[in-house]
Amino acid sequence: MTGADPNTAWLRGCVALDDKGFIKTGQDLAPADLAAWTAASRHPYMLETSIRGVFAVGDVRSASVKRVASAVGEGAICVQLLHKALAE
């Protein structure tokens, strides 16, 4: 299975990670993960991390399906969300 062991140690302290090291996004972010969002006028988008404008897709994302087709779909969705975030 691809993505069973995330290579995210370098992100520790930058974005919120779950207990297995996967990047938390969207609704998986806990209130404690949202400190950088206190001044924001919105909540994180579905694939957005604890840092506004930083997105994660595919195997590295917490609660993802860990399949190639799903990662491709998430990437396509992320493009639309990124355009939306940049337009703000």
Side-chain angles (χ1 to χ4, degrees):
M1 182 175 97
T2 62
D5 187 22
N7 185 15
T8 57
W10 63 279
L11 290 171
R12 195 165 306 282
C14 295
V15 297
L17 304 175
D18 67 13
D19 58 339
K20 295 178 182 174
F22 292 96
I23 300 171
K24 293 165 57 172
T25 60
Q27 293 182 348
D28 292 329
L29 292 163
D33 300 325
L34 300 174
W37 286 87
T38 54
S41 59
R42 64 172 177 82
H43 294 287
Y45 292 130
M46 177 174 52
L47 300 170
E48 203 163 13
T49 68
S50 57
I51 299 176
R52 189 174 180 177
V54 177
F55 293 80
V57 300
D59 295 351
V60 75
R61 194 175 65 79
S62 180
S64 70
V65 179
K66 311 289 188 268
R67 299 292 184 263
V68 172
S70 297
V72 171
E74 288 179 5
I77 293 168
C78 188
V79 170
Q80 183 180 18
L81 295 174
L82 185 59
H83 284 290
K84 191 174 181 178
L86 290 172
E88 295 175 344

